[in-house]
Amino acid sequence: MKKPKVCIIFTGGTISMTVDENIGAAIPTLSGEQILSMVSNIDKLADIEVVNLCEIPGPHMTISKLLELKALIKKTLDRDDITGVIVTHGTDTLEETAYFLDLTINHTKPVVVVGAMRNSSELGYDGSSNLAAAVCTAISPKAVGKGVLVVLNNEVNIAAEVTKTNTLSLNTFQSPYGPLGIIDTNDLIVYRDIAYRQHIDTDKVEHRVDLIKAVLDMDDRFIRLAVDAGAKGIVVEAMGRGNLPLKMLEGVKYALSKGVVVVIVSRCSSGRVFESYGYEGGGKELSDLGAIMGGEMRGPKARLKLMLGLGKTTNIDEIRKLFTEESYIL
Ligand SMILES: NC(=O)C[C@H](N)C(=O)O
């Protein structure tokens, strides 16, 4: 039987790292071919095409690189001989890249983003088992139409939901409603389905979007600075259900008066924001003033969605719809 063909695009991250003896810490050094040589028997499951796109750590990823990656993935998925695409990535920004790709690529073929928590100089390097699980996911018919998936620790999570929750544990990638499924004996076992997916069909990104986190007794300086520096959108990680300290409220009013789009999400690790509280600075007032309540999104992903949304349109109703239309998570 003909084997499926998977394209693996290597971008760097701990999965590609070794400890440099002069520095005494890990840096990206391994090529895609070197990483693949550690994944035993993978050639029995699939034919692999290797693309060495870059060798950068997660914190060095840029929006322009993401646009390049998106275009490359789309072109690759359009090929008849390709079953799925895998991207290796640093875990520090992996969920943002996965979500960016999920929003911008409208394709049924699987796209899997994978990384590692231990570099290849460490005992128990998890790069090879994670990459093997990513291949098993990318060739599974059960992964078709599920959007971009994140695979680590034999767990398969949905890009829109997943967050890196721990700085070092192997099961760091968690979703509030659990994984989509797991890899068991090379097979994707699906536990549940995706309720809703969203596409923002654009190649344009508005770079002038900032993310500001609210803390106790915070004032409006950061919001004003962002507005005065030319921000077109600001995502505020507010408290709890979406509430702000009084002085920050003044900043939101200032931003809105200047036509800057303000999206409110929660600094809590899970849960929705809502117009629940009627006190000054509460979600009800923020929403009545014209801020967009960002539902269940976490700050970094809401920022990407706003960047893409503003890249496509400046119509506030369309932007609002992107954050509020029927969805449990987006
Ligand atoms: N586990 C990792 O990949 C973390 C690393 N600092 C990175 O994002 O590149």
Side-chain angles (χ1 to χ4, degrees):
M1 213 180 76
K2 202 168 172 294
K3 279 185 285 180
K5 186 168 188 172
V6 172
C7 174
I8 308 184
I9 302 170
F10 291 85
T11 73
T14 295
I15 193 167
S16 72
M17 293 194 197
T18 47
V19 171
D20 180 294
E21 292 194 348
N22 294 323
I23 306 172
I27 54 167
T29 54
L30 302 175
S31 67
E33 290 81 359
Q34 286 172 306
I35 298 169
L36 261 179
S37 70
M38 292 185 265
V39 190
S40 49
N41 293 323
I42 203 66
D43 51 324
K44 293 192 179 133
L45 285 181
D47 288 328
I48 310 283
E49 182 174 300
V50 173
V51 177
N52 288 299
L53 184 67
C54 53
E55 259 188 28
I56 57 172
H60 293 190
M61 187 50 73
T62 61
I63 299 290
S64 61
K65 201 56 157 179
L66 288 185
L67 288 168
E68 186 188 340
L69 182 60
K70 170 193 75 126
L72 175 61
I73 294 172
K74 276 184 163 179
K75 211 172 85 192
T76 309
L77 290 174
D78 283 342
R79 279 168 41 194
D80 289 339
D81 62 326
I82 289 290
T83 302
V85 169
I86 295 172
V87 177
T88 68
H89 200 287
T91 59
D92 289 351
T93 53
L94 191 149
E95 74 211 49
E96 285 167 82
T97 290
Y99 186 54
F100 184 95
L101 298 175
D102 191 55
L103 283 175
T104 53
I105 298 172
N106 189 4
H107 217 293
T108 53
K109 288 182 185 174
V111 177
V112 179
V113 188
V114 62
M117 290 304 290
R118 295 186 188 147
N119 68 68
S120 67
S121 305
E122 280 179 279
L123 285 178
Y125 171 60
D126 55 333
S128 33
S129 57
N130 288 345
L131 195 50
V135 173
C136 295
T137 306
I139 62 173
S140 172
K142 288 177 262 180
V144 169
K146 299 283 191 268
V148 175
L149 300 172
V150 170
V151 175
L152 271 94
N153 196 43
N154 273 341
E155 287 162 342
V156 180
N157 281 285
I158 296 167
E161 301 178 1
V162 74
T163 309
K164 183 175 179 177
T165 61
N166 185 285
T167 56
L168 95 159
S169 59
L170 301 187
N171 68 343
T172 180
F173 282 93
Q174 299 284 328
S175 302
Y177 311 108
L180 176 79
I182 57 164
I183 295 297
D184 184 356
T185 331
N186 299 347
D187 194 16
L188 171 61
I189 310 296
V190 174
Y191 290 153
R192 63 185 177 93
D193 207 353
I194 293 178
Y196 181 77
R197 280 193 68 208
Q198 200 170 33
H199 292 288
I200 306 179
D201 194 9
T202 179
D203 283 321
K204 285 214 210 103
V205 177
E206 173 54 72
H207 287 256
R208 292 165 296 177
V209 175
D210 293 307
L211 171 61
I212 296 174
K213 184 177 198 147
V215 286
L216 187 149
D217 200 23
M218 189 163 174
D219 63 21
D220 56 351
R221 272 174 307 144
F222 281 6
I223 297 183
R224 281 181 187 273
L225 275 172
V227 173
D228 293 345
K232 297 292 172 208
I234 300 175
V235 175
V236 181
E237 278 189 3
M239 294 152 174
R241 279 287 253 177
N243 313 306
L244 288 179
L246 291 175
K247 287 178 225 156
M248 269 190 101
L249 170 66
E250 295 311 311
V252 170
K253 287 181 186 167
Y254 179 67
L256 292 169
S257 76
K258 300 281 182 189
V260 177
V261 179
V262 177
V263 175
I264 304 292
V265 295
S266 180
R267 66 178 195 170
C268 294
S269 62
S270 62
R272 290 166 54 79
V273 289
F274 198 69
E275 296 94 339
S276 303
Y277 288 96
Y279 54 78
E280 234 190 320
K284 180 78 172 81
E285 182 178 15
L286 298 174
S287 175
D288 287 349
L289 285 169
I292 295 171
M293 299 307 270
E296 184 128 11
M297 300 236 67
R298 314 287 37 108
K301 286 184 187 167
R303 169 181 165 265
L304 287 173
K305 179 144 80 169
L306 188 54
M307 289 174 107
L308 287 164
L310 284 170
K312 194 173 175 195
T313 177
T314 50
N315 181 313
I316 183 71
D317 294 329
E318 279 181 50
I319 305 271
R320 186 181 304 279
K321 209 167 144 222
L322 285 174
F323 284 91
T324 53
E325 67 186 353
E326 46 143 340
S327 76
Y328 72 108
I329 188 89
L330 299 170

